[in-house]
Amino acid sequence: MKKLFYSFTMMALAALLFNSCEDVPAPFGLPNSGGDTPTPTVEPAGSGTAADPYNVAAVIAYAQTLEIGQESPSNIYIKGKIASIKEEYTTQYGNATFTISDDGTAKNTFTIYRALYLNNKKFSANDTQIQVGDEVVVCGIVTNYNGTLETQQNKAYLYSLNGEGGGGGGGGQTGEAKGSGTQADPWNPAGAIQYINTLAADAESDKDYYIKGKISEIREEFTTQYGNASFYISEDGTNSGTFYVFRTLYLNNKKFAAGDTQIKVGDEVVICGRLVNYRGNTPETVQNKSYIYSLNGSGGGGGGGGQTGDAKGSGTLSDPWNAVAANNYTNSLAADTESDKDYYIKGIIAKIANNGEFSDQYGNASFYISDDGKDENTFYVFRTLYLGNQKWTSGNSQVKVGDEVIICGRLVNYRGNTPETVQNKSYIYSLNGKTEGGGGGGGGETGEVKSVSIADFNAAAESNDVWYQLKGTVKNLKDGDQFGNFDLEDNTGSVYVYGLLSEKGGEKKKFQELAAAKGIKNGSIITIIGNRGSYNGKIEVLNAYLVSVDGEGGGGGGGGDTGSGGSYSNPFTVTQAIAAGSGTGVYVKGFIVGYVDGQAYETGAHFDASGEVKTNILIAASASETDVTKCMPVQLPSGAVRNGVNLADNRDLLYKEVLLYGNIEVYFKVPGVKSVTYAEVDGKNFGTKASVKRRR
């Protein structure tokens, strides 16, 4: 860097000297001491556009105006010759690092750091390797990285190589833009790219659009593990003028399943979904927010508005919606917005989803229903409970394709593209005509309320029709519990309360609001009403709602090693950890929501698993959180924890809950988790488990 700045200082000095001497021609550099022919000094030229790229002198001059860590606000085009290659293109990472100069020599070079290949794609085995002396045009984000002027990692690509290529995600598409983006008139790839380039960096479209093309290259085939695929489409099936379809779902907006037809190069597809200007330089579909609307002319449908058939019903018990009507209503909701009340939907089970049949482990099931039991025009019933709004237990009848059901519960427009029931907030109201009451899900329960001791409650028979009033002391309530799960104890015994609601049939996952309003904590004496149920042989109070709080006690934070949280059995939530700001040797629990790429926290935060960053993750109190101020960056030290938890190698961990042991310290200038030595996620653990000692 010192040599670089010295060089520019000397160039500036020389320019001043020449401007003051009328008889000295310009622009020339100072001759060297050996008396060789002077090396011409190249003047900055170009405007940084595709039509008029910067030369190397111009991009160096521009990059010097950036502060440390600052990036250019948009893509810049740079033209030069490769002077040296520091990292060749490889199929492992798909990028390369090299320097360019205006004349191909090692003087006045600019670093192209880990840039992608032509068409803004990763390098593949059949691609031509770069060589010293090649003339290139590079498109991408420029940064001042700790004083080193370079392109940002994976945010630049070869726009052209020795005059060949051109195109990519940054607006270099070839061909005429066609179509209107509708189902009846889909965009061609050029039309889709033209629209997406009008979006701000990382901004998503506000609705679904349709794009038609032929598959030209497959990056990731469909698998049963993730159910999605990534590929390029073009108008004619060649690698010219391509559009990137990133992690798209299968036909009917479903995950790919065993037995489904695999895609291949040459297939004609229509894609429906949300679009994004990823990092400001890559137009593509949003991960898991698009699907194949048709494949070689077959298919169609899906949750995004492609279903056919008549909508029927009013969503009530006496007049349930059919699947089409349920889809229509749910599609009218904003992304990830739940319905404000329970609705009824009637249909025949067409397919059991990948999440599976009812099981003892979770007590819920996922399946698709339609009017006629065919796998078309379906509605997704996601993790619904059993008859009587209870968890399924061994001995209960299993659901199967062909069963007629009425579903009662809350609905959600998941991620804005998948209408479905809300997990554990719906249940089977009737199965082939059989019903077992309602419970707390909106089913109209009746009957007297019996005031009993906990011992008498435990001795009673299970029923969703009989309601019991219990009074006792709250025990083993965990800090931050949003469901209201705890033990209730009186002088006759103890029972587990599975979810305390504020009122009969009230909304779930609102316990923190109730606890704050009523002062409920460990040691509080409360009166509740609920049904006698059980799960895996353990007696529970189901559908419970609060009557009153009679007193307040002390108590700890849930029976852990410390009353103030941070133990293995009572970990800090992300909200609590951020509020704490610091802490040594504590457990923190949250959901993995993304990672940070680069040096800047807010602009570098990515709420997906698409990058190659392995050194950190982002966690939040909610899996759907996208506000960086409510997230914590987690530094992953090399070793077992990094290998097991980083998103680059473990993309399926996105949105999974993770338990971490480490220190709460400043990281990326905000409260973060560092020095992590232990992690639990998705049923696995990494590193060494540690005990948290009680604070004095």
Side-chain angles (χ1 to χ4, degrees):
M1 285 304 301
K2 289 182 179 178
K3 290 182 179 180
L4 181 60
F5 283 113
Y6 176 77
S7 175
F8 277 101
T9 301
M10 293 303 296
M11 289 169 61
L13 178 61
L16 289 172
L17 291 172
F18 292 150
N19 285 335
S20 64
C21 301
E22 295 181 359
D23 60 341
V24 180
F28 288 103
L30 293 174
N32 60 27
S33 59
D36 294 335
T37 303
T39 302
T41 300
V42 178
E43 293 287 341
S47 58
T49 64
D52 184 31
Y54 280 145
N55 65 358
V56 176
V59 74
I60 290 173
Y62 167 76
Q64 285 177 328
T65 67
L66 300 175
E67 296 181 0
I68 297 294
Q70 185 181 3
E71 296 181 2
S72 60
S74 60
N75 284 337
I76 291 173
Y77 291 81
I78 314 155
K79 186 175 183 179
K81 293 183 178 180
I82 296 178
S84 66
I85 299 173
K86 297 183 178 181
E87 298 173 340
E88 281 196 332
Y89 280 104
T90 65
T91 55
Q92 182 178 8
Y93 299 110
N95 57 32
T97 299
F98 50 92
T99 64
I100 59 174
S101 65
D102 286 314
D103 56 6
T105 69
K107 297 181 179 180
N108 304 325
T109 60
F110 182 79
T111 299
I112 307 300
Y113 184 66
R114 293 183 177 169
L116 299 175
Y117 198 65
L118 290 167
N119 292 303
N120 203 8
K121 300 177 182 179
K122 289 185 176 182
F123 179 87
S124 63
N126 296 325
D127 291 329
T128 303
Q129 188 60 257
I130 55 173
Q131 300 178 34
V132 171
D134 284 343
E135 183 179 78
V136 296
V137 175
V138 175
C139 172
I141 301 296
V142 172
T143 185
N144 183 346
Y145 182 73
N146 291 332
T148 301
L149 311 179
E150 62 187 25
T151 57
Q152 186 67 280
Q153 177 177 343
N154 287 331
K155 290 187 180 181
Y157 64 96
L158 285 180
Y159 183 78
S160 73
L161 175 61
N162 295 320
E164 299 288 333
Q173 74 280 358
T174 58
E176 179 186 357
K178 301 175 185 177
S180 59
T182 63
Q183 179 186 340
D185 183 31
W187 277 322
N188 67 349
I193 292 172
Q194 184 181 75
Y195 161 74
I196 298 172
N197 279 329
T198 67
L199 301 175
D202 294 319
E204 296 183 11
S205 62
D206 58 353
K207 63 179 182 179
D208 291 347
Y209 288 98
Y210 292 80
I211 310 155
K212 185 176 183 179
K214 292 182 178 179
I215 297 176
S216 60
E217 179 183 350
I218 297 173
R219 283 290 177 178
E220 300 170 333
E221 283 194 332
F222 280 107
T223 65
T224 54
Q225 182 178 8
Y226 300 112
N228 56 32
S230 299
F231 49 87
Y232 293 90
I233 60 173
S234 64
E235 195 161 13
D236 57 5
T238 68
N239 274 322
S240 176
T242 59
F243 175 76
Y244 191 26
V245 181
F246 180 65
R247 293 185 177 165
T248 191
L249 299 176
Y250 198 64
L251 289 165
N252 292 303
N253 202 10
K254 300 177 183 178
K255 289 185 176 181
F256 178 87
D260 289 335
T261 303
Q262 187 59 259
I263 55 172
K264 61 185 184 300
V265 171
D267 283 343
E268 184 179 76
V269 294
V270 175
I271 304 297
C272 174
R274 300 295 168 103
L275 312 177
V276 63
N277 191 359
Y278 181 63
R279 295 187 177 179
N281 69 351
T282 308
E284 61 185 36
T285 57
V286 180
Q287 177 176 338
N288 288 332
K289 288 188 180 181
S290 75
Y291 63 97
I292 297 181
Y293 180 80
S294 73
L295 176 60
N296 294 321
S298 298
Q307 70 277 355
T308 57
D310 296 328
K312 301 175 183 177
S314 59
T316 62
L317 177 59
S318 59
D319 184 29
W321 278 326
N322 67 351
V324 175
N327 278 325
N328 287 347
Y329 164 76
T330 313
N331 275 324
S332 70
L333 300 175
D336 295 318
T337 299
E338 297 182 11
S339 62
D340 58 354
K341 63 178 182 179
D342 291 345
Y343 288 97
Y344 291 83
I345 312 160
K346 185 176 182 178
I348 297 173
I349 296 178
K351 182 179 180 180
I352 306 295
N354 290 339
N355 289 301
E357 296 179 331
F358 283 108
S359 67
D360 279 329
Q361 183 178 8
Y362 300 111
N364 57 32
S366 300
F367 47 84
Y368 296 87
I369 60 173
S370 65
D371 284 347
D372 54 8
K374 294 181 180 179
D375 194 16
E376 297 175 357
N377 310 320
T378 58
F379 178 78
Y380 190 23
V381 181
F382 179 66
R383 293 187 175 168
T384 191
L385 299 176
Y386 197 62
L387 288 165
N389 200 14
Q390 296 186 56
K391 291 183 177 180
W392 186 90
T393 59
S394 296
N396 289 334
S397 299
Q398 186 59 259
V399 292
K400 61 184 183 301
V401 171
D403 284 343
E404 184 181 76
V405 295
I406 295 177
I407 304 298
C408 174
R410 302 292 169 102
L411 312 179
V412 64
N413 190 1
Y414 181 64
R415 295 189 178 179
N417 71 348
T418 307
E420 60 186 39
T421 57
V422 180
Q423 178 177 341
N424 290 332
K425 287 190 179 180
S426 75
Y427 65 98
I428 297 179
Y429 178 81
S430 76
L431 176 60
N432 296 321
K434 177 185 177 182
T435 62
E436 287 186 8
E445 61 282 346
T446 60
E448 63 175 323
V449 176
K450 299 179 180 180
S451 182
V452 298
S453 68
I454 291 177
D456 290 339
F457 177 86
N458 289 338
E462 293 188 20
S463 174
N464 284 310
D465 298 319
V466 181
W467 294 82
Y468 297 94
Q469 181 169 299
L470 305 171
K471 183 176 181 179
T473 302
V474 175
K475 300 285 186 179
N476 299 321
L477 172 64
K478 294 183 178 180
D479 287 343
D481 180 7
Q482 58 185 327
F483 296 96
N485 299 333
F486 53 86
D487 292 325
L488 190 68
E489 184 179 296
D490 67 8
N491 59 357
T492 68
S494 177
V495 68
Y496 184 65
V497 179
Y498 180 68
L500 183 65
L501 309 177
S502 60
E503 59 185 356
K504 194 173 186 178
E507 190 172 354
K508 298 177 181 178
K509 296 176 71 174
K510 295 289 185 180
F511 178 74
Q512 281 300 298
E513 297 176 14
L514 177 63
K518 300 293 185 179
I520 301 173
K521 56 185 177 181
N522 282 310
S524 295
I525 301 172
I526 64 174
T527 300
I528 65 173
I529 292 176
N531 300 131
R532 162 67 160 85
S534 67
Y535 178 63
N536 281 345
K538 181 180 180 180
I539 298 172
E540 296 180 348
V541 186
L542 300 178
N543 310 315
Y545 60 93
L546 182 70
V547 175
S548 64
V549 179
D550 299 331
E552 298 181 0
D561 301 308
T562 171
S564 58
S567 68
Y568 177 78
S569 59
N570 183 31
F572 282 127
T573 65
V574 171
T575 304
Q576 291 169 330
I578 291 174
S582 63
T584 303
V586 296
Y587 284 92
V588 179
K589 178 179 281 189
F591 292 90
I592 300 176
V593 295
Y595 62 97
V596 182
D597 188 5
Q599 305 298 310
Y601 178 60
E602 291 195 359
T603 57
H606 293 275
F607 294 95
D608 54 46
S610 62
E612 301 299 329
V613 174
K614 299 182 181 182
T615 56
N616 70 76
I617 56 173
L618 272 179
I619 62 173
S622 166
S624 60
E625 186 61 70
T626 56
D627 183 348
V628 293
T629 64
K630 297 179 181 179
C631 301
M632 293 188 79
V634 178
Q635 186 182 59
L636 302 177
S638 60
V641 172
R642 178 183 293 181
N643 295 338
V645 178
N646 81 82
L647 285 176
D649 296 327
N650 309 279
R651 301 189 193 280
D652 58 317
L653 295 185
L654 188 66
Y655 310 128
K656 296 289 181 68
E657 190 174 51
V658 62
L659 177 68
L660 302 160
Y661 177 78
N663 300 334
I664 302 173
E665 301 179 37
V666 174
Y667 186 36
F668 286 106
K669 299 181 180 180
V670 298
V673 185
K674 299 178 71 174
S675 302
V676 178
T677 59
Y678 181 74
E680 287 183 11
V681 61
D682 202 26
K684 300 176 182 178
N685 59 75
F686 307 94
T688 303
K689 186 175 178 181
S691 297
V692 180
K693 296 180 180 179
R694 181 180 294 275
R695 292 179 178 84
R696 295 184 181 274

